[in-house]
Amino acid sequence: MLHFEKLEPTDAGLYTCQGVYDGLPDQVKIELTLEKKISFHDTKLEQFIKAGQDQLVQCHASSIPGPEIAWFRHGISTNLKNDHKYQITNDGLVIKNVQIEDEAIYLCQASVTSTGEIKRAQINVQVMHQPIWDVKPIDTDGVNGQDIVVRCKANAKPVPKYSWFRNGIMLVGERYVFTADSLRILKSNVNDRGTYTCEAENNSGKISANFRINILVGPVIAPLEEVRVLEGNEARLKCIVREAFPKAQITWKYADTLENISPSSDSSIEIVADSIEDSNDNLVGSWSELRIKPADRRYNRNITCVASNKAEVNERQVRLIVEYKPTLLINSESKEFYYSWLNVDSSGSSGSSSSHVSRGASVLMTCIATGEPKPQITWFFKTEQIKHDNVKYILHKQQLGLSQLEVIPDGLEDFGDYQCKAENTVGSSYRNIELRMATSPSLPPMLVLQATKPESVNFQVTVSNEAESNGGLPIHTIKAQWRFLNSDWSNQNEKNFPVTNAERLLVHVGALMPDTEYLFRVAGVNKVGLGKWSQEIKIKTLSRRQPEPIRVLSQEDCTASTKCYIEWTSDSNGGSPIRDYLVKWRRLSYKDSSNKHVDTNRLGRWSDVVVIKAPITNYEITSILPNSFYEVDVVARNDIGPSASQPFRIRTLPGQIGELEAFRKPNESVINRIILICGSIIAAIILFIIIDVLLLMKFDCGLLAILTKSCTNQKEITIDFKPTPTKIVQHTNKSNHPYKPISQTEDHTGNASVGIYYV
């Protein structure tokens, strides 16, 4: 036996075994073949190659028999062959003129056909290359005092190292913050202007890029002083920007309306600006002059100078004062004439030739003037200046541009033209203000009948707002008088009605007698006294009749779920006092479990009628169901009869009480009714049988025989029948709580208790 301690590939071959058998020589030939599985050696799974050169990706595989080598990229779908790009050698794969896009996962496959064995090595090939710009730094504008951030990013393998320079000098210091792809300059200032360089470097090479940083400085506007000019002259306003970078643009606008000021929109405007050129590095000043010619009072306002550049926008206001002489105004406060009157007693009411009459009614006259500077106002009467004496003349609100003079006339000589003088440094102006004598209204009001009822009438009264018609003073009251047709005005009734600003006034006169003729007249009253009477109107009230339908005062929505407070009023009793009100209600609809309304008109039944004694006009309905609509009918009754029915709706709130009934389904209600009817029929049959048996036992004749008169020996049977009365419940106020309902009960005798009526 031949024993190998350790097989080597060279041990393979043909071996001969020689020997002697039975004295004869003999030999046997034996071929030794070896097999070895595929293995990779000296093959790194991550390999780095340089861009721009031919590079070898190493792969060494061994086996017995020897393996066949194949190369793949991006999986086995791409089989690499020898061509202009790739060359397969015993040591691996040569990639010619390596580029960045050659970076990928490559498969080195070894296979033995005889054994069918296949084995692959997955090699991650990284292409080493010098930096290439991903984000190249660009020129950057920073604002003075703010941080600046500049980005600089390169793609390279291995990862590059960044260096920053300014004017060739590397940046160092706490104000510079470096990150993987940016430079931050903290709180920049004008000294940070300049040319900067970003450099990216690795062992394959380096690249650099220059960029410029400009520090922007917002405009600094010099203080502006107030400008004064006479109306009609030229006004000049100059705005100076002391420094800015880049150069500031200057515009003008009105401070109150923010409207831009431009010569294109106003021919009186001219804007002149400097011609200084912008500077690349240095701060630069500028100016603009706004010229207004001619300047008038329209420009008497605050004007804003606006200076702006890339850094910021700054503004300063300047006051332009255009001086002009006073102008006296006429408006609702400062009138052309005022009214007063004589013969007023010490209490201030109108009077006649009474011993208490001493002075006229005071009147407050107002004078308003505009001007620049604001004018001083003085008063004159018959060329003499009026002084404050606290008797006839009292000056109020003595301020620039406004003055009020209170005049208390003693006689006719105090009426006439007063002069108001307004004066400032530019000039003065005058205006006459007339004090006129007021009288009682000279034009009587117009009286038009609107409606007639048994106990009342309605008129529309039209008054005049013209000063000449109402005596110079507004009519504050309409006095209405009426009397019986066959009497005189010494027996009249009267009533006063206050007048608002409206020209038309609705006058209601009540407490009249039905079917009666009256005469009516009206007159206007102002502070002087009673004016002329209108033309008399003859009116006959209507005869007595039923009350008009009630008018509901309460809301439709109730404040509870099982009760509701209602309130009403009656506009007309028909000429006869209302005795009581009849109240009834019934359920209209409810909300089911899906919150939809279910109509129950065909199922609804009116409640018992509740009688509410007049003058009570409210009631609280109780024991009603929640989440439901109810129809309520309130009828007023007097001696003539009831008013017309005019039902209204109420709605209860959702609640717990009665919820099951409120949300009951219609089919359940029908089933319950059918059960009730069937039970009633069965009970009636049983009762009929019992009565029939009793009659048969006592009279020897059953109920059916009696009804058909078929009994031969029948006795007279008397049936006492009394109709059941309809119950009307009376509601009276028995306590301090007028809205609490009275219990509706009957006594044991079958007669109605107190408050029950039969109809």
Side-chain angles (χ1 to χ4, degrees), residues 585 608-610 619 727 729 741-746 753 756:
W585 58 91
D608 293 334
V609 177
V610 179
Y619 182 66
K727 182 171 64 175
V729 183
I742 297 175
S743 175
Q744 303 172 9
T745 58
E746 294 183 357
S753 62
I756 306 298

Side-chain angles (χ1 to χ4, degrees), residues 715-756:
K715 299 179 181 180
E716 183 178 354
I717 300 174
T718 303
I719 300 176
D720 186 13
F721 174 76
K722 293 182 180 181
T724 301
T726 300
K727 182 171 64 175
I728 301 177
V729 183
Q730 178 185 6
H731 177 72
T732 58
N733 187 7
K734 291 187 175 183
S735 68
N736 294 329
H737 303 283
Y739 310 133
K740 184 175 181 181
I742 297 175
S743 175
Q744 303 172 9
T745 58
E746 294 183 357
D747 60 20
H748 298 290
T749 62
N751 297 324
S753 62
V754 177
I756 306 298

Side-chain angles (χ1 to χ4, degrees), residues 133-264:
W133 290 121
D134 275 351
V135 179
K136 192 174 182 180
I138 60 175
D139 293 345
T140 302
D141 291 334
V143 178
N144 188 32
Q146 299 181 10
D147 293 356
I148 300 175
V149 177
V150 181
R151 292 196 63 203
C152 176
K153 185 177 182 181
N155 180 14
K157 284 191 179 175
V159 175
K161 177 184 177 183
Y162 295 93
S163 300
W164 297 84
F165 304 87
R166 177 174 181 266
N167 298 329
I169 301 174
M170 182 175 290
L171 298 179
V172 292
E174 296 180 352
R175 292 185 58 246
Y176 304 107
V177 179
F178 307 101
T179 64
D181 62 352
S182 68
L183 164 67
R184 177 183 291 271
I185 302 177
L186 303 178
K187 295 182 179 180
S188 64
N189 55 61
V190 293
N191 295 324
D192 291 318
R193 291 199 195 104
T195 300
Y196 290 73
T197 301
C198 174
E199 184 179 276
E201 182 180 11
N202 64 4
N203 54 13
S204 296
K206 68 178 179 180
I207 56 175
S208 63
N210 295 330
F211 61 95
R212 181 171 180 79
I213 290 182
N214 294 316
I215 303 300
L216 307 181
V217 178
V220 178
I221 304 175
L224 302 178
E225 295 183 355
E226 178 181 273
V227 176
R228 285 182 173 269
V229 62
L230 286 176
E231 188 172 31
N233 293 343
E234 182 182 45
R236 293 192 177 192
L237 294 82
K238 192 170 186 178
C239 181
I240 299 176
V241 176
R242 290 176 173 172
E243 62 178 29
F245 185 84
K247 180 182 177 181
Q249 299 295 321
I250 302 176
T251 58
W252 298 85
K253 66 180 180 181
Y254 296 113
D256 50 356
T257 64
L258 304 182
E259 176 189 359
N260 288 328
I261 302 174
S262 171
S264 61

Side-chain angles (χ1 to χ4, degrees), residues 141 171 226 235 349 404 419 490 527 563 595 619 648:
D141 291 334
L171 298 179
E226 178 181 273
S349 61
Q404 289 182 323
Q419 289 81 38
S490 62
K527 290 184 178 181
K563 59 184 178 180
N595 208 34
Y619 182 66
F648 58 93

Side-chain angles (χ1 to χ4, degrees), residues 428-727:
S428 60
S429 299
Y430 295 84
R431 183 168 77 84
N432 286 340
I433 299 177
E434 183 182 1
L435 179 58
R436 297 179 178 179
M437 176 73 74
T439 63
S440 59
S442 59
L443 182 66
M446 182 180 298
L447 185 64
V448 178
L449 179 65
Q450 294 288 308
T452 305
K453 297 180 181 180
E455 78 288 0
S456 65
V457 293
N458 291 336
F459 296 100
Q460 178 179 282
V461 179
T462 303
V463 297
S464 174
N465 285 333
E466 297 294 332
E468 295 181 357
S469 301
N470 56 29
L473 299 174
I475 294 175
H476 59 75
T477 302
I478 291 294
K479 183 181 290 293
Q481 290 186 349
W482 63 95
R483 63 177 175 85
F484 294 113
L485 183 62
N486 55 0
S487 66
D488 55 38
W489 288 111
S490 62
N491 296 318
Q492 90 281 358
N493 294 294
E494 68 178 28
K495 184 177 181 181
N496 293 327
F497 298 90
V499 177
T500 61
N501 293 329
E503 294 183 359
R504 292 179 175 82
L505 176 70
L506 183 63
V507 172
H508 174 80
V509 178
L512 301 178
M513 297 180 61
D515 198 21
T516 305
E517 290 185 319
Y518 290 90
L519 284 179
F520 287 86
R521 67 180 184 180
V522 293
V525 181
N526 63 12
K527 290 184 178 181
V528 177
L530 182 69
K532 293 183 178 180
W533 290 103
S534 67
Q535 184 178 359
E536 298 174 359
I537 296 181
K538 184 175 74 172
I539 297 173
K540 184 177 182 180
T541 56
L542 301 179
S543 59
R544 296 173 63 220
R545 59 195 63 205
Q546 297 95 329
E548 289 187 357
I550 62 99
R551 179 163 52 87
V552 182
L553 301 179
S554 52
Q555 300 295 321
E556 178 178 308
D557 290 332
C558 304
T559 58
S561 58
T562 58
K563 59 184 178 180
C564 192
Y565 171 78
I566 59 174
E567 186 177 4
W568 63 89
T569 186
S570 181
D571 293 328
S572 174
N573 60 15
S576 179
I578 294 177
R579 294 185 310 171
D580 50 35
Y581 299 92
L582 308 181
V583 182
K584 63 180 180 178
W585 58 91
R586 65 174 178 177
R587 192 176 180 208
L588 288 179
S589 66
Y590 63 89
K591 286 188 176 181
D592 60 16
S593 57
S594 61
N595 208 34
K596 293 183 178 179
H597 276 286
V598 178
D599 190 5
T600 59
N601 272 326
R602 52 195 176 90
L603 304 178
R605 183 177 64 84
W606 286 108
S607 67
D608 293 334
V609 177
V610 179
V611 179
I612 309 295
K613 285 292 186 180
I616 297 174
T617 57
N618 52 68
Y619 182 66
E620 188 173 62
I621 302 173
T622 59
S623 301
I624 52 180
L625 296 173
N627 214 25
S628 302
F629 281 100
Y630 279 82
E631 182 180 28
V632 181
D633 190 18
V634 179
V635 175
R637 289 195 305 184
N638 62 8
D639 291 338
I640 307 301
S643 66
S645 175
Q646 191 167 302
F648 58 93
R649 287 199 322 175
I650 60 173
R651 178 171 59 187
T652 56
L653 295 176
Q656 298 299 323
I657 301 176
E659 286 285 355
L660 294 178
E661 200 281 330
F663 296 138
R664 184 177 58 197
K665 297 181 180 179
N667 56 348
E668 294 177 353
S669 177
V670 173
I671 293 172
N672 292 339
R673 267 214 260 170
I674 293 174
I675 293 174
L676 180 62
I677 293 172
C678 292
S680 301
I681 293 174
I682 294 172
I685 293 174
I686 294 173
L687 181 62
F688 182 85
I689 293 173
I690 293 173
I691 295 174
D692 187 66
V693 171
L694 293 175
L695 291 175
L696 182 63
M697 294 173 61
K698 185 173 183 179
F699 301 105
D700 298 326
C701 187
L703 180 60
L704 184 61
I706 293 174
L707 295 177
T708 57
K709 298 182 180 181
S710 59
C711 287
T712 57
N713 186 22
Q714 54 181 296
K715 299 179 181 180
E716 183 178 354
I717 300 174
T718 303
I719 300 176
D720 186 13
F721 174 76
K722 293 182 180 181
T724 301
T726 300
K727 182 171 64 175

